[in-house]
Amino acid sequence: MLTFFENIGRGLRLKITRLGAATRLFFTIISYSSESFKRFNLTIREIYFTGVLSLIIIIVSAFFVGMVLGLQGYYTLQKYGSSEAIGVLVALALVRELGPVVTALLFAGRAGTAITAEIGLMKATEQLSAMEMMAVSPVARIVAPRFWAGIITMPLLASIFSMVGIIGGYVVAVPLIGVDEGAFWSQMQANVDFSYDIVNGFIKSLVFGIACTIIALFEGYDAPPTAEGVSRATTRTVVTSSLAVLGLDFVLTSFMLSV
Amino acid sequence: MKKDLIVSIKDLAFGYAERQIHRKINMNFHRGKVVAIMGGSGCGKTTILRLIGGQIKPTSGQVEVDGKIVHEQGRKGIYELRRKMGMLFQHGALFSDLSVYENVAFPIREHTDLNEAVIKDLVLMKLNAVGLRGAHNLMPTELSGGMARRVALARAVALDPDIIMYDEPFAGLDPISMGVICDLIRTLNDALGATSIIVTHDVTETFAFADYIYFIADGIVAAEGSPSDLKKSQLPFVKQFIYSEKDGPVPFHYQANEYISDLGL
Amino acid sequence: MDRIKLDAWVGIFVALGLIALMGLAMKVGNLTSNDIKTTYVVTANFENIGGLKPRAPVKSAGVVVGRVDSITFDTKIYEAIVTMSIDERYVFPKDTFANIYTAGLLGEQYIGLEAGGDPENLVAFDKISQTQDAVVLEKLISQFLYNQASKEEEEK
Ligand SMILES: Nc1ncnc2c1ncn2[C@@H]1O[C@H](COP(=O)(O)OP(=O)(O)O)[C@@H](O)[C@H]1O
Ligand SMILES: [Mg+2]
């Protein structure tokens, strides 16, 4: 029984230590950022890897999510005779929740794992040490550009997700089901508020971007320099990022609704 | 005239969290010399290189590079010192997302504002020195172990360092590549007028070309001297190492409980 | 991947993201249809606001002319004080009527302004004195049932 609590205590202490280390990494990145901004093409390169290469999965998923929302929404709303409200339903669901959240989950799986694996392998093969010995800071050269790329990429991906999802919903609602096109858009515009819905969704995706990227970078940087260590770190990136995104989403949503 | 002594280690002690690795190490490295550090696996040879490079701090004692005490330098100071060093890592540590050319160009691009034409000349010159000018377009994954290490060597000397450190440059190489690397170490050292510090446990090769050799055991320098002196040495530890006897002062077994008790008898 | 190609792809990506964001702002949200910039504040007291919420539209003749800022409760007179911002382009006479209406049978509630005939206009921080409360469905139903019952009583 005692060992059970001991284990919990030890696990908790380990988690808190790691949280502290991740926070420290965050501030180290910030302090090295001016150095890496001077060579912004490094960040551009990472935007390509995290953003451009995630575009396909984001667009395809968004289109399907939007179509499903359209279908499900229609069948529910139709019971209450308000099927024109489908535009509102699709748009609000995407802009406020699904856009930022699903994008962040996909980002963790697609770009986050790639970041962790890459940095973990660079560490395992002593590439980071080699860089340090060449008097080049790995944080400035490798970590910071990936961090900023993640922060820039996530809100853009989330916006694309929401927009494509709305188009998906439109395709189902208007040409396929036959909801009036004018009603679809006008109801949407009347009920989606720029500062309350769109800006809040944007803020969410920004926060998720910071969280997912820091987690991926930290797991890679912290991975034991072995094949097993890197593969475990990659798994942890997905698990931790997903939980962080869902948890943060709850916190942010309740905060935003209360304001 | 520059000071002759470029790296000196005084009363160095170092340990990871719960394990003491070095107890009291004293070493001196002179300009223009090829010096080898030998010892069994895990005795802390790589760690010494990392201490010289300032990646870790000693528990006590000090490492002095070019008149400056390494662990007392701030980040800027350490980076300045490191620019005088080149290090060849055990497996090359080439950047896997960059081509051979870009790998060698990396330190030049990071630390100078030379234009592309000059960089190209420099890179090809360095690659030529290690005999791999023709391979400049390849990616690191397309290289054999020996070739990768030669590219890493070209990268380590890209900025003409005063100190070149080699971490087990011969490990896992076929005899021909080994000979090639051996020759390269000597030629580069003499051409650059640099100091080479070689960590290795390869006896024959090292005795053939090093100027001076340090043996580490039990966290101290167990023996030191020129190859010819050491060959005559009567120290049992040195004899065991040179003639590769299995058991001696360096035990074959990692310290363990009585075998009988481990078997549960 | 050479530099120019990389830049081009990243350019396309960023442009797509910005277009999507603009699309959300213009086509999906109400950034364009509701760009009330300068406003003036007026208040109105209601005995019952029903389901009126902050940010509900203020309409006149069906046109959105402003929004509800805040709703507070005055413990002296036991009434709700609704503060609303009206677009500066629209002026209303002092004796304007403020009603709480419901869009459709179960829709959201909004404030409807009906202009009176006073030559003087409302200015900032004025109070609209003539108001009509929200129609509360439960009240309406119970009233209807009560009337029905009393009618039956009479017939007897
Ligand atoms: N980061 C580390 N944390 C804890 N122990 C380490 C670390 N790096 C190396 N060690 C231990 O220090 C000892 C010396 O390592 P090293 O200098 O690499 O030996 P070698 O002489 O084989 O190069 C080894 O026993 C190793 O297990
Ligand atoms: Mg080693």
Side-chain angles (χ1 to χ4, degrees):
Chain A
M1 199 60 199
L2 197 63
T3 51
F4 173 72
F5 285 115
E6 257 171 30
N7 283 342
I8 289 186
R10 196 171 306 132
L12 201 66
R13 204 173 65 199
L14 200 73
K15 286 271 180 305
I16 288 177
T17 314
R18 288 168 61 80
L19 184 65
T23 313
R24 200 208 209 36
L25 178 69
F26 176 77
F27 285 107
T28 317
I29 291 172
I30 300 292
S31 72
Y32 277 85
S33 285
S34 62
E35 219 166 296
S36 61
F37 278 150
K38 278 186 219 136
R39 300 191 32 211
F40 203 68
N41 63 319
L42 292 174
T43 307
I44 299 273
R45 213 179 104 88
E46 296 311 322
I47 294 179
Y48 177 82
F49 287 117
T50 49
V52 176
L53 296 185
S54 305
L55 261 183
I56 298 289
I57 187 173
I58 289 292
I59 290 178
V60 172
S61 330
F63 198 71
F64 281 114
V65 167
M67 292 204 297
V68 168
L69 274 178
L71 276 177
Q72 293 282 15
Y74 176 76
Y75 279 107
T76 310
L77 289 173
Q78 173 220 39
K79 286 183 193 160
Y80 302 99
S82 47
S83 54
E84 315 81 43
I86 187 153
V88 188
L89 185 136
V90 171
L92 283 184
L94 280 165
V95 170
R96 281 155 86 146
E97 288 297 331
L98 294 175
V101 171
V102 179
T103 304
L105 295 179
L106 291 172
F107 181 94
R110 168 71 187 71
T113 52
I115 290 174
T116 304
E118 193 185 13
I119 292 187
L121 274 176
M122 290 186 87
K123 186 181 173 194
T125 54
E126 297 191 303
Q127 293 181 45
L128 296 184
S129 276
M131 203 171 270
E132 258 180 49
M133 284 303 295
M134 281 185 246
V136 175
S137 153
V139 176
R141 185 68 173 63
I142 302 288
V143 179
R146 281 165 176 74
F147 176 73
W148 289 109
I151 289 186
I152 294 169
T153 300
M154 186 74 92
L156 293 177
L157 284 177
S159 303
I160 293 173
F161 190 102
S162 298
M163 198 63 224
V164 172
I166 289 168
I167 294 171
Y170 171 85
V171 166
V172 165
V174 180
L176 294 184
I177 294 176
V179 173
D180 179 59
E181 174 163 7
F184 183 88
W185 291 112
S186 67
Q187 286 250 0
M188 193 190 293
Q189 284 180 1
N191 289 287
V192 178
D193 188 82
F194 179 73
S195 52
Y196 275 65
D197 300 320
I198 294 171
V199 171
N200 279 351
F202 190 85
I203 292 172
K204 273 187 183 177
S205 63
L206 208 60
V207 174
F208 296 164
I210 297 173
C212 287
T213 321
I214 273 289
I215 288 170
L217 288 169
F218 176 72
E219 289 294 354
Y221 216 68
D222 192 55
T226 58
E228 196 207 4
V230 174
S231 85
R232 280 186 181 203
T234 311
T235 311
R236 264 206 309 268
T237 292
V238 178
V239 175
T240 317
S241 305
S242 308
L243 291 179
V245 164
L246 297 172
L248 280 172
D249 185 48
F250 173 74
V251 174
L252 287 174
T253 305
S254 49
F255 186 70
M256 284 165 177
L257 287 183
S258 72
V259 170
Chain B
M1 177 70 198
K2 283 187 188 171
K3 235 177 90 191
D4 184 45
L5 190 65
I6 187 154
V7 179
S8 75
I9 299 176
K10 285 196 198 100
D11 297 336
L12 176 89
F14 177 80
Y16 284 111
E18 66 284 355
R19 256 188 70 209
Q20 191 69 17
I21 293 172
H22 302 127
R23 287 187 290 142
K24 189 171 180 188
I25 302 256
N26 281 292
M27 292 178 178
N28 288 312
F29 303 88
H30 296 273
R31 256 178 228 283
K33 297 280 188 262
V34 175
V35 182
I37 301 174
M38 306 191 75
S41 299
C43 73
K45 302 183 298 292
T46 304
T47 311
I48 288 186
L49 295 187
R50 280 157 59 79
L51 284 159
I52 295 175
Q55 288 190 319
I56 42 182
K57 284 186 163 53
T59 342
S60 70
Q62 63 182 53
V63 178
E64 206 174 300
V65 175
D66 209 13
K68 298 200 176 69
I69 294 167
V70 176
H71 70 264
E72 288 176 359
Q73 305 294 316
R75 184 164 91 85
K76 269 222 169 96
I78 282 195
Y79 275 18
E80 216 133 272
L81 284 180
R82 284 183 190 161
R83 291 180 57 174
K84 297 181 184 146
M85 306 175 192
M87 179 151 171
L88 179 68
F89 281 81
Q90 198 161 347
H91 299 286
L94 292 176
F95 301 131
S96 40
D97 56 337
L98 300 179
S99 68
V100 166
Y101 179 94
E102 285 300 325
N103 260 286
V104 180
F106 183 89
I108 308 177
R109 286 193 204 287
E110 289 291 329
H111 293 304
T112 67
D113 290 323
L114 300 174
N115 66 30
E116 199 52 45
V118 180
I119 292 181
K120 188 174 176 192
D121 290 348
L122 272 175
V123 171
L124 292 182
M125 192 177 87
K126 298 295 174 190
L127 281 172
N128 198 43
V130 298
L132 289 174
R133 188 163 43 86
H136 70 92
N137 268 331
L138 298 183
M139 292 306 282
T141 44
E142 299 169 296
L143 302 173
S144 71
M147 283 161 86
R149 228 166 284 182
R150 275 147 73 191
V151 173
L153 185 50
R155 185 180 67 179
V157 298
L159 290 172
D160 298 338
D162 295 332
I163 306 159
I164 314 172
M165 296 186 271
Y166 299 86
D167 192 2
E168 313 215 357
F170 312 117
L173 290 190
D174 59 90
I176 301 172
S177 310
M178 213 141 135
V180 171
I181 299 271
C182 240
D183 284 349
L184 272 176
I185 293 176
R186 192 80 240 185
T187 16
L188 281 173
N189 193 72
D190 296 347
L192 295 171
T195 309
S196 298
I197 304 173
I198 301 169
V199 156
T200 177
H201 39 227
D202 198 273
V203 178
T204 14
E205 302 292 333
T206 315
F207 271 69
F209 77 93
D211 294 317
Y212 203 83
I213 298 172
Y214 287 99
F215 273 100
I216 314 182
D218 282 337
I220 55 162
V221 175
E224 61 179 292
S226 64
S228 49
D229 288 348
L230 283 172
K231 268 187 199 148
K232 284 181 245 146
S233 164
Q234 287 307 309
L235 288 169
F237 165 77
V238 178
K239 280 173 77 178
Q240 186 200 355
F241 211 91
I242 298 179
Y243 302 109
S244 38
E245 288 156 6
K246 187 179 131 203
D247 230 336
V250 178
F252 166 67
H253 287 290
Y254 191 81
Q255 65 189 81
N257 301 330
E258 279 295 309
Y259 196 19
I260 297 284
S261 69
D262 266 3
L263 288 175
L265 296 173
Chain C
M1 165 104 23
D2 64 72
R3 181 86 169 268
I4 296 172
K5 225 165 145 189
L6 196 88
D7 284 358
W9 271 111
V10 171
I12 292 172
F13 168 66
V14 173
L16 266 182
L18 292 180
I19 290 171
L21 202 58
M22 294 275 281
L24 290 180
M26 303 296 180
K27 186 93 182 149
V28 177
N30 48 7
L31 188 66
T32 43
S33 59
N34 180 35
D35 54 350
I36 298 174
K37 288 190 187 75
T38 45
T39 55
Y40 61 97
V41 175
V42 296
T43 59
N45 288 9
F46 293 92
E47 270 176 34
N48 191 333
I49 57 160
L52 190 73
K53 294 204 172 58
R55 299 208 40 82
V58 178
K59 297 182 183 182
S60 187
V63 179
V64 177
V65 296
R67 294 216 169 259
V68 172
D69 282 336
S70 63
I71 299 168
T72 49
F73 183 62
D74 188 331
T75 46
K76 288 201 194 85
I77 48 175
Y78 299 106
E79 282 186 350
I81 304 173
V82 175
T83 315
M84 55 197 123
S85 304
I86 313 276
D87 191 336
E88 219 173 40
R89 289 175 298 177
Y90 307 119
V91 288
F92 291 94
K94 280 244 189 264
D95 59 347
T96 294
F97 227 91
N99 304 316
I100 295 179
Y101 290 124
T102 307
L105 190 60
L106 297 165
E108 62 167 350
Q109 289 184 307
Y110 64 93
I111 293 185
L113 297 180
E114 275 159 38
D118 201 306
E120 263 184 78
N121 287 330
L122 283 172
V123 293
F125 307 113
D126 272 358
K127 189 172 139 190
I128 297 175
S129 45
Q130 294 170 287
T131 61
Q132 190 190 319
D133 292 342
V135 175
V136 179
L137 209 59
E138 292 90 323
K139 255 189 191 168
L140 214 62
I141 292 170
S142 59
Q143 218 162 14
F144 173 76
L145 290 177
Y146 179 79
N147 286 349
Q148 208 70 352
S150 53
K151 234 186 263 170
E152 272 169 27
E153 209 105 304
E154 274 171 34
E155 276 167 18
K156 267 186 199 165

